[in-house]
């Protein structure tokens, strides 16, 4: 019986285009990319959306400072975000811009629905606003006259449309209680609950003092609040309101299994406002929100004023995308903060990628290439017997792969690397102990050891390919594993490497760098 096709939808926040991308944005992209790749590898129909948040006062003023019209300015910066996704091999399935027509039309529709459902009214806003955070603050939230994030605030008094957020406090609390895994990690879940418990006021969702944004449908003086505009991207990006029945079915299937990856700084918007907007328009709430931590630079908070913003482009140029992807996932568990330093990146690259994985692959494949007729060795026992004789191979099938599947389902990608590195360590020990280079006069035995090792390499490369796709594919190319057999689904005995097929001349996969 064939299994029912599973659908999965993963999103990054859409990035503000007031400035070029940095390592924090790269991190969010790579978490989403890795989870998306693992889901695809499991055979799930997974869809990964990223994009850019291009409206609002912050961007309008950055454009003016740069002496450009806002549209010209956002077109320029947006390209850098698209390039970043490309050069990190993120593999996003779509990219949504809030200035695109498809998004603008969608926001208007969404707003009209809110209005129709009775959740929008016109009144006067007076309170604090932070342009940097694009957020409203209550007097009692301010610390020494600044936003709790440290951003400057200004006093605002103007006509505004409001969203009846206050009507959703109890409903939200009930939802959190019934869905204890809605927000991960637990500390963020608690933070959101505490915020809602402290009382929700209606939310100002339009401004009249600037122009750069989507105009409220029945009142052109008002520009729609940039966070309402932005959050809706998760639906506009899959064309949620489409009339086309088959597209609609797909959008629903995706929406029913959506995961939002966000940084911890924007959990309030995703954990409170977004669910409330969705409830107001009778749309199911997201399945899961994961809030990741922040990177510091050599121990210091990354900020433009300190001039220590980490630019991902030269790093990728120097080390390649895989080394950066590997480092960001390996260095911290999702949810924790981490410190970015080039020295640490080089250390991880050299000790783990080059010395552990690279060394294993290199020594096995070059030895096989030289001593077994440039091919996968022939074996005089059956594949079943190879597996029965190998604790590592049986361990991979019976223990490691089910564990990895389990971590994928819980989105614990850092933990997956622990398992893979363990396999690599075991394999290195196996080779040292069996020392095939001492068995040149016992070819049968030597071949069995080499064959077993190459089969282990096949698993390692497939299992790690969602994290370091370029390097993993190079390894799989060397042992001629067909392109269509490179998924988790192919991690079974059935897809074993074929004895006697040619292997390609091994080349170094992971470069080492001088320590700094
Ligand atoms: N435009 C909003 C999101 C709207 S989503 C409907 C926004 N954009 S942002 O460009 O400021 O930030 C995007 C993401 O980058 C956030 O998840 C944020 O947490 C992340 N990071 C920004 N700086 C970071 C670090 N120093 N470290 C890790 N991630 C950080 O917010």
């Amino acid at each position: 019986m064939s299994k029912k096709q599973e659908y999965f939808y993963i999103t990054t926040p859409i990035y503000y285009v007031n400035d070029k991308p940095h390592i924090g944005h790269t991190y969010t992209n790579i978490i989403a990319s890795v989870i998306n790749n693992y889901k695809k590898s499991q055979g799930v129909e997974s869809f990964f959306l990223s994009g850019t948040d291009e409206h609002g006062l912050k961007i309008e003023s950055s454009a003016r400072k740069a002496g450009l019209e806002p549209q010209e300015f956002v077109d320029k910066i947006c390209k850098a975000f698209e390039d970043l996704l490309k050069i990190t091999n993120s593999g996003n399935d779509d990219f949504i811009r809030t200035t695109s027509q498809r998004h603008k039309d969608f926001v208007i529709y969404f707003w009209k629905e809110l209005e129709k459902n009775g959740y929008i009214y016109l009144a006067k806003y007076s309170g604090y606003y932070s342009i940097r955070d694009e957020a409203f603050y209550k007097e009692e939230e301010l610390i020494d006259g600044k936003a709790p994030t440290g951003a400057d605030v200004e006093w605002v008094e103007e006509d505004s449309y409001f969203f009846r957020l206050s009507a959703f406090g109890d409903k939200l609390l009930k939802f959190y209680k019934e869905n204890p895994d809605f927000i991960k990690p637990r500390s963020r879940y608690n933070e959101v609950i505490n915020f809602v418990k402290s009382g929700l006021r209606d939310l100002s969702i339009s401004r009249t003092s600037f122009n750069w944004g989507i105009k409220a449908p029945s009142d052109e003086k008002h520009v729609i609040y940039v966070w309402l505009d932005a959050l809706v991207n998760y639906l506009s990006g899959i064309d949620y309101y489409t009339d086309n029945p088959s597209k609609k079915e797909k959008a629903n299937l995706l929406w029913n299994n959506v995961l939002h990856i966000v940084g911890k700084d924007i959990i309030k918007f995703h954990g409170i406002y977004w669910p409330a907007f969705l409830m107001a328009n009778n749309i199911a709430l997201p399945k899961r929100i994961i809030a990741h931590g922040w990177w510091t630079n050599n121990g210091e908070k990354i900020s433009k004023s300190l001039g220590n913003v980490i630019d991902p482009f030269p790093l990728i140029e120097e080390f390649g995308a895989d080394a950066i992807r590997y480092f960001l996932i390996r260095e911290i568990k999702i949810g924790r903060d981490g410190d970015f330093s080039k020295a640490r990146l080089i250390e991880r690259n050299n000790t783990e990628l080059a010395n552990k994985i690279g060394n294993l692959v290199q020594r096995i494949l070059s030895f096989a290439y030289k001593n077994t007729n440039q091919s996968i060795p022939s074996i005089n026992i059956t594949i079943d017997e190879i597996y029965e004789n190998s604790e590592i191979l049986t361990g991979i099938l019976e223990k490691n792969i089910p564990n990895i599947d389990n971590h994928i389902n819980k989105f614990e990608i850092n933990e997956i690397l622990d398992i893979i590195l363990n396999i690599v360590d075991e394999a290195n020990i196996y080779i040292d102990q069996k020392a095939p280079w001492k068995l040149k006069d016992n070819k049968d035995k030597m071949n069995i050891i080499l064959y077993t090792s190459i089969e282990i390499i096949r698993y390692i490369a497939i299992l790690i390919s969602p994290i370091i796709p370029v390097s993993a594919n190079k390894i799989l190319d060397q042992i001629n594993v067909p392109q269509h057999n490179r998924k988790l689904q192919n991690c079974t005995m059935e897809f074993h490497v074929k004895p006697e097929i040619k292997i390609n001349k091994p080349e170094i996969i992971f470069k080492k760098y001088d320590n700094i």
Side-chain angles (χ1 to χ4, degrees), residues 358-387:
N359 192 30
L360 174 74
V361 173
Q362 182 67 20
R363 60 184 177 151
I364 298 295
L365 298 187
S366 5
F367 188 79
Y369 190 79
K370 282 192 204 119
N371 294 284
T372 61
N373 194 23
Q374 303 179 2
S375 48
I376 307 271
S378 62
I379 41 176
N380 64 349
I381 57 173
T382 62
I383 301 290
D384 282 319
E385 285 166 329
I386 290 274
Y387 273 73

Side-chain angles (χ1 to χ4, degrees), residues 13-16 22 24-25 28 53 227 230-231 233-234 262-263 265-266 270 292-295 302:
I14 50 171
Y15 303 105
Y16 285 131
H22 60 65
H25 308 122
T28 317
D53 188 353
W227 268 101
L231 286 161
N233 92 87
Y234 301 131
V262 301
D265 53 315
I266 53 175
H270 286 82
H292 65 69
W294 271 48
W295 288 91
I302 295 175

Side-chain angles (χ1 to χ4, degrees), residues 298-321:
N298 287 312
E300 280 187 322
K301 189 178 178 327
I302 295 175
S303 85
K304 264 206 290 186
S305 50
L306 287 174
N308 64 352
V309 175
I310 301 170
D311 181 348
F313 289 94
L315 279 172
I316 292 158
E317 177 94 35
E318 185 173 359
F319 298 103

Side-chain angles (χ1 to χ4, degrees), residues 35-62:
I35 295 175
N36 180 50
N37 288 349
Y38 271 118
K39 282 286 172 189
K40 284 189 168 144
S41 187
Q42 284 181 321
V44 172
E45 174 98 18
S46 180
F47 188 81
F48 167 17
L49 179 74
S50 190
T52 38
D53 188 353
E54 306 188 1
H55 290 131
L57 200 46
K58 170 154 83 174
I59 287 159
E60 190 184 68
S61 55
S62 300

Side-chain angles (χ1 to χ4, degrees), residues 39 60 83 107 162 187 194 243 302 386 408 457 460 488:
K39 282 286 172 189
E60 190 184 68
D83 288 347
V107 172
F162 281 81
S187 52
N194 289 338
D243 291 330
I302 295 175
I386 290 274
I408 297 173
I457 288 175
I460 292 170
L488 261 163

